[in-house]
Amino acid sequence: MISLDFNFNILTRDLSHYLENQVKVGLFGSGVGLSLVLGFSAAYTCYYLISVAKKPQLISGGKKFYQFLREQCPVVSETYYPTFWCWESRIQTLLRPFVTAKPGVVYRNELIKAADGGQISLDWFDNDDSLAHPDPATRPTVLLLPGLTGTSRESYILHMVQQSRDLGYRCVVFNNRGVSGETLLTPRTYCAANTEDLEAVIEHIQRTNEAAPVMAAGVSMGGMMLANYLGRKGQETCLKGVVVFSAGWDVFECTASLEKPLDRFLFNSYLTSCLQASVHRHRPVLEKCYDIDHVMKAKTIREFDERFTSIMFGYPTNDDYYHDASPVHRLKSVQVPMLCLNAADDVFSPSHAIPVEAVKQNPNLALLITCHGGHIGFLEGLWPRQSTYMDRVFKQFAKAVIEQGSRLKDLS
């Protein structure tokens, strides 16, 4: 087999030899300039095609689910070509909110009551113009869960709503308490470990449209919450399938990764400030139970969780909370088909913590790992304004689950 390893020393030597012996003009002459451009372009193209653009790795605990994905979701077998000028993980992560378009979506908001007296905000896209499913009683419903501080207005959520609209499905976005502009009625927000609000939302969706099939997609912390929910419920859920994007599987590893100097500067401090801003908005109701001044002095997500989240949800220590919030411990109990997309270069969910072995032990799980893509990035194309690789995975899997779901009833 011919080795595809790329040796930059050899390339540099050959280019230098070419420039010295073949181009007989001055250093700043047009011949040398053109040669440098062509040489660099050729080198970059070679490196990109050999080391960057690769087929994803598909792992499943059972042959039936694996074969289903290969047949119904061709994207899992295709080479992923990240945008050639921004394939590095941090750049993908930082640029996606700015370069991807935000499709126009008009939601119908609904506030439902929670058991503790709080309220949960749901944003519905009813898709009443659906030609594929004109009957609202049986129109498939896709439940979407945003990330840590995300809402229904995030670009990645809007893209999934658009993909669902094209398929003729209805969407509902579960906004975590206090993040989408609604009033916080009780001194309680949300966390990745607690799935009580999610359970209430899923039961409400099922009661509202009893004859409609339901699937779900979660992004980042939303995916963690979904995975924890499935691990707790087993077969006692109406969800026909779940797809999870850029989830953090081991919270200890995720926070440790985000506390490295560069990632702390780029991501950790910003997310901490977003969490604190949400707490500040609801200070009148929260300060009755928590030391908000102490919370507002947190410099990292870990410090925020130590001073606020773990206390709110009654954990003895923050380590107890992080262990309970880590979906890796519940994967063995998942009884619903769940596809998980992670990038190996995601600094939020480091590759060594991606639960490959746990997935291999459960026939209901499949893991799709790309070499690049960052955290909720997965940009592709020359100018990635529209669809991303993540969007294509979502659309194909959603369609497969809704239209071919009978083939997924017994994956063992």
Side-chain angles (χ1 to χ4, degrees):
M1 179 180 292
I2 298 175
S3 173
L4 292 180
D5 292 340
F6 196 81
N7 192 316
F8 279 99
N9 292 327
I10 295 176
L11 175 64
T12 304
R13 183 195 66 195
D14 290 346
L15 284 174
S16 299
H17 183 269
Y18 169 78
L19 292 174
E20 292 172 2
N21 296 282
Q22 300 299 324
V23 183
K24 305 298 185 180
V25 295
L27 178 61
F28 298 100
S30 59
V32 171
L34 179 59
S35 298
L36 285 173
V37 171
L38 293 176
F40 175 80
S41 299
Y44 188 87
T45 300
C46 288
Y47 177 78
Y48 176 87
L49 294 175
I50 293 171
S51 300
V52 178
K54 292 181 178 293
K55 288 186 177 182
Q57 183 182 9
L58 178 62
I59 302 161
S60 180
K63 292 183 179 179
K64 190 172 180 180
F65 196 17
Y66 179 88
Q67 193 60 37
F68 175 86
L69 292 170
R70 297 269 296 185
E71 293 176 0
Q72 300 298 323
C73 306
V75 67
V76 305
S77 305
E78 298 171 357
T79 299
Y80 167 47
Y81 293 94
T83 298
F84 78 95
W85 51 269
C86 66
W87 51 263
E88 197 274 333
S89 63
R90 294 173 182 84
I91 298 176
Q92 284 245 340
T93 303
L94 291 168
L95 282 185
R96 169 158 185 159
F98 301 101
V99 301
T100 53
K102 285 193 171 185
V105 174
V106 179
Y107 290 115
R108 171 177 62 85
N109 183 255
E110 179 184 19
L111 295 175
I112 64 173
K113 288 294 183 181
D116 70 331
Q119 61 183 359
I120 304 168
S121 174
L122 303 179
D123 283 324
W124 291 84
F125 176 74
D126 296 305
N127 203 7
D128 289 330
D129 296 328
S130 173
L131 297 178
H133 301 278
D135 184 358
T138 58
R139 185 177 303 142
T141 302
V142 181
L143 170 62
L144 302 175
L145 281 73
L148 180 63
T149 59
T151 70
S152 60
R153 291 297 172 185
E154 305 303 321
S155 64
Y156 56 81
I157 292 292
L158 294 172
H159 277 243
M160 286 193 282
V161 173
Q162 182 183 52
Q163 303 284 358
S164 301
R165 177 176 58 196
D166 294 343
L167 292 170
Y169 305 159
R170 167 175 46 225
C171 284
V172 54
V173 184
F174 166 37
N175 298 293
N176 286 305
R177 294 198 203 188
V179 300
S180 63
E182 81 282 6
T183 302
L184 197 65
L185 300 181
T186 59
R188 169 175 165 164
T189 55
Y190 59 94
C191 74
N194 189 285
T195 59
E196 293 173 357
D197 283 359
L198 176 57
E199 291 176 29
V201 166
I202 292 174
E203 291 171 3
H204 174 73
I205 293 171
Q206 187 178 25
R207 288 195 305 269
T208 304
N209 302 283
E210 294 182 353
V214 184
M215 72 155 292
V219 181
S220 191
M221 195 203 75
M224 296 166 64
M225 192 181 294
L226 263 179
N228 282 326
Y229 163 82
L230 291 182
R232 288 193 174 103
K233 301 296 287 186
Q235 293 181 336
E236 298 177 1
T237 178
C238 66
L239 298 181
K240 304 301 181 185
V242 166
V243 59
V244 168
F245 301 106
S246 297
W249 300 104
D250 186 324
V251 181
F252 292 100
E253 297 295 338
C254 296
T255 51
S257 178
L258 288 174
E259 286 170 353
K260 295 177 181 179
L262 179 58
D263 298 318
R264 175 171 173 164
F265 171 74
L266 291 175
F267 307 113
N268 201 326
S269 298
Y270 171 73
L271 287 173
T272 302
S273 68
C274 290
L275 291 167
Q276 290 169 324
S278 180
V279 169
H280 181 71
R281 283 197 301 272
H282 303 290
R283 182 165 187 146
V285 68
L286 292 173
E287 64 183 358
K288 300 174 184 178
C289 301
Y290 311 104
D291 186 350
I292 301 303
D293 289 335
H294 190 49
V295 173
M296 298 303 288
K297 293 177 182 177
K299 301 299 182 183
T300 64
I301 295 174
R302 187 193 299 269
E303 289 183 0
F304 179 89
D305 288 335
E306 289 172 346
R307 303 175 185 192
F308 185 73
T309 314
S310 61
I311 297 173
M312 174 177 288
F313 289 93
Y315 290 96
T317 68
N318 195 58
D319 283 355
D320 291 312
Y321 164 52
Y322 277 5
H323 181 275
D324 198 33
S326 300
V328 65
H329 304 301
R330 295 192 177 89
L331 290 180
K332 61 181 180 296
S333 302
V334 174
Q335 298 297 313
V336 172
M338 182 168 75
L339 172 63
C340 313
L341 174 64
N342 281 89
D345 64 354
D346 184 353
V347 298
F348 284 69
S349 184
S351 59
H352 65 268
I354 296 176
V356 173
E357 294 305 317
V359 168
K360 290 180 179 178
Q361 304 304 314
N362 188 335
N364 296 291
L365 301 177
L367 183 61
L368 189 64
I369 306 174
T370 58
C371 288
H372 300 279
H375 188 70
I376 327 175
F378 301 103
L379 302 175
E380 60 183 359
L382 181 63
W383 183 245
R385 287 283 294 165
Q386 305 303 322
S387 177
T388 67
Y389 182 81
M390 172 178 145
D391 298 331
R392 293 196 292 131
V393 171
F394 167 78
K395 185 174 184 179
Q396 292 182 17
F397 184 72
K399 182 178 181 180
V401 167
I402 296 298
E403 299 182 12
Q404 302 291 331
S406 59
R407 295 177 54 186
L408 296 173
K409 287 184 178 180
D410 184 14
L411 292 176
S412 58

